[in-house]
Amino acid sequence: MFVIESPIGPLGLVVDGPAVVGVRFAARPGPSTDHPAAEQLRAYFAGELTDFTVPFDMRGGSEFERAVWAEIARIPYGETITYGAIATALGDPGAARAVGTACNHNPIPVIVPCHRVVGAGNKMVGFGGGLDRKRILLELEAAVALQRAWS
């Protein structure tokens, strides 16, 4: 595991060749890397990158979790969607809590942007990395999106 510093604390980056297989919050100090994923994460936090292109491999998870992760991966930069909307998109409108659990099990947060999933009425709820990190990520994306829209 490699470690990169970020505005949300040290992130552990687990790779298998060119593919990212994990991102861990609150990583212990460790070796850094010039892997393309680390470069893209640094550019994301600098407000220079809005779409990750690094390959990733979502390992593990149930069939339902994998379907949720695929939906999350499609959420555009700077936008949010509710847990209920994802549940509805997957054909089970009553599965919002299960969507939340799947988000919590996302092995590649930030790159697969589970922070863009919010509660009903756009309430800031739930995030495996903690609400403070979720807020920082959403505020970063909102600021960059506004700056780009007004430039």
Side-chain angles (χ1 to χ4, degrees), residues 103-120:
C103 287
N104 190 42
H105 294 158
N106 173 8
I108 310 175
V110 183
I111 293 173
V112 176
C114 53
H115 60 277
R116 295 178 189 156
V117 185
V118 296

Side-chain angles (χ1 to χ4, degrees), residues 19-88:
V20 177
V21 297
V23 173
R24 309 283 185 263
F25 295 114
R28 295 181 184 193
S32 62
T33 181
D34 61 355
H35 189 279
E39 293 170 17
Q40 287 189 17
L41 281 164
R42 288 184 192 106
Y44 167 83
F45 286 114
E48 300 164 355
L49 179 90
T50 59
D51 292 307
F52 289 98
T53 59
V54 67
F56 58 86
D57 184 4
M58 301 296 281
R59 296 180 177 174
S62 68
E63 185 177 328
F64 179 79
E65 287 174 324
R66 295 175 73 75
V68 170
W69 300 337
E71 286 295 314
I72 292 167
R74 290 191 274 277
I75 304 169
Y77 183 92
E79 295 183 21
T80 59
I81 190 170
T82 65
Y83 296 99
I86 290 176
T88 298

Side-chain angles (χ1 to χ4, degrees), residues 117-140:
V117 185
V118 296
N122 291 318
K123 292 191 178 176
M124 177 84 64
V125 296
F127 185 58
L131 290 180
D132 289 342
R133 285 188 180 99
K134 183 172 188 163
R135 181 176 310 281
I136 291 167
L137 293 168
L138 291 174
E139 288 176 350
L140 167 74

Side-chain angles (χ1 to χ4, degrees), residues 47 143-151:
V144 170
L146 281 174
Q147 181 182 27
R148 288 180 177 211
W150 292 347
S151 293

